[in-house]
Amino acid sequence: MAYLLLLPTLVLLALVVGFPLVLSAWQSLMQSGQGIDPATGLIIKGDTFVGLDNYIDAVTGTGAGAGFWNAFWNTTLFTVVGVSIETVLGVAMALIMAKAMRATGLVRASILIPWAIPTVVSALMWQLIFDANGIANRLLDYQVLWTTEGWQAKAAVLIADIWKTAPYIGLLTLAGLQTIDKQVYEAATVDGANRWQTFWRITLPLVRPVLVVAVLFRLLDAMRMFDLPYVLLGTLDSGQTLSMLATDAAAKTNFGAASAYSMVLFAYICLVAFLFIKLLGADVIGDQNRPPRKRRVPRRLRTTSEGSMP
């Protein structure tokens, strides 16, 4: 019965997710018609099966895959640095929002406003802030060309992304903090624990299951980042991610290379998610609190009296 009830959802996922995934994997082994056929002198049309050539070009950085490693390392940089800082800030925001103080609703609403703003609107706002005559340079009292090639472009993407998505981790962490019984803190106070000890030995361990899942979801979202760097920096190499590289290749009708980049990104995300769940034990399906399943005793081993089972 359970499988029958899940069947409509599984069919829908197969059509919406499974079929495009298989189609992309097949398209990544093809190459769009390019150049002129030497036998006929006509432009080659249609797709040609090239096997793993698109993946080889990406790894070796030749042909259409010239910008692959730049996009790969940019994606990794934005993910690792951005999510690490967002986690620290998100936990700090959650601790602030969890405090019972005056204007609690106003504080929570103000912290969550950046996350509620659409990404494109946020990117346009930061584009004005990072303008040569924008407020960022005025506050620094130094002229920085934020939206040009270089480290400053990467910093601009990180600052804008951290500002927008740190409240997301803070919101989920706040939900975990509100499930902690206050008697635990009262017992820690009686035992003489200070605030630092209370945070590391009580708050963080108890909120860890929620925090790990929040960081995992944020990791998966950061690895497929597209709209923020695209609107903020355009097509600069310093802000190009794998999603942007695949979109650029598709815009040039190089669908084989675009599909190859997409499949590499898909495999990269799956690997990170697998390692994250295995190493940190992220409970993404809620199995940790489920009672253990009783093993069924075969009929031939059942007895009518206790203690007589071999």
Side-chain angles (χ1 to χ4, degrees):
M1 178 60 67
Y3 289 112
L4 288 177
L5 294 175
L6 290 174
L7 185 60
T9 302
L10 296 177
V11 172
L12 182 61
L13 288 176
L15 293 175
V16 177
V17 180
F19 176 72
L21 184 63
V22 174
L23 188 62
S24 296
W26 173 251
Q27 185 68 44
S28 67
L29 305 177
M30 312 293 289
Q31 193 174 69
S32 302
Q34 299 176 352
I36 298 176
D37 189 352
T40 61
L42 301 175
I43 297 177
I44 300 175
K45 295 183 178 181
D47 294 333
T48 305
F49 181 80
V50 294
L52 299 177
D53 286 356
N54 290 322
Y55 295 96
I56 294 174
D57 290 344
V59 173
T60 57
T62 58
F68 172 78
W69 286 112
N70 173 63
F72 179 86
W73 292 121
N74 283 342
T75 302
T76 304
L77 174 69
F78 295 152
T79 301
V80 174
V81 177
V83 175
S84 298
I85 299 176
E86 289 164 16
T87 302
V88 176
L89 293 179
V91 173
M93 291 178 181
L95 293 174
I96 294 174
M97 290 187 289
K99 291 292 183 181
M101 56 184 177
R102 294 181 179 180
T104 302
L106 180 61
V107 172
R108 293 183 180 182
S110 60
I111 289 177
L112 295 178
I113 283 176
W115 178 63
I117 297 176
T119 305
V120 174
V121 177
S122 175
L124 290 173
M125 181 189 69
W126 281 100
Q127 191 178 54
L128 295 175
I129 293 175
F130 288 131
D131 186 76
N133 299 318
I135 190 174
N137 288 340
R138 293 185 181 182
L139 291 175
L140 293 174
D141 196 20
Y142 188 79
Q143 190 73 10
V144 179
L145 301 179
W146 294 95
T147 56
T148 58
E149 293 287 2
W151 64 267
Q152 68 277 4
K154 302 180 189 296
V157 174
L158 285 171
I159 292 172
D161 185 53
I162 292 169
W163 177 83
K164 175 173 174 53
T165 54
Y168 170 77
I169 296 181
L171 179 63
L172 296 183
T173 306
L174 175 63
L177 288 175
Q178 291 178 338
T179 63
I180 301 176
D181 193 345
K182 293 182 179 180
Q183 293 181 357
V184 179
Y185 292 109
E186 294 174 358
T189 303
V190 172
D191 291 338
N194 55 36
R195 292 184 177 182
W196 190 250
Q197 292 172 332
T198 301
F199 173 75
W200 279 105
R201 298 187 180 183
I202 296 178
T203 303
L204 196 59
L206 292 178
V207 83
R208 178 180 173 273
V210 176
L211 181 60
V212 169
V213 174
V215 173
L216 174 61
F217 288 167
R218 183 66 199 113
L219 274 174
L220 303 185
D221 187 49
M223 293 182 69
R224 53 186 178 85
M225 184 189 301
F226 171 81
D227 42 4
L228 179 62
Y230 183 78
V231 176
L232 182 60
L233 302 178
T235 57
L236 293 182
D237 291 339
S238 298
Q240 191 175 51
T241 62
L242 286 175
S243 296
M244 295 174 61
L245 185 65
T247 303
D248 182 63
K252 296 176 180 178
T253 68
N254 194 354
F255 301 114
S259 298
Y261 302 146
S262 301
M263 293 306 299
V264 171
L265 179 59
F266 173 72
Y268 192 20
I269 291 175
C270 289
L271 177 62
V272 170
F274 176 79
L275 293 177
F276 200 86
I277 292 173
K278 286 297 182 181
L279 296 179
L280 297 180
D283 183 24
V284 295
I285 58 177
D287 277 345
Q288 288 184 358
N289 296 324
R290 184 178 298 177
R293 202 173 173 184
K294 293 183 179 180
R295 297 184 61 183
R296 189 174 181 181
V297 181
R299 183 180 296 274
R300 60 187 179 82
L301 294 179
R302 296 179 186 173
T303 60
T304 57
S305 58
E306 289 185 345
S308 59
M309 184 183 296

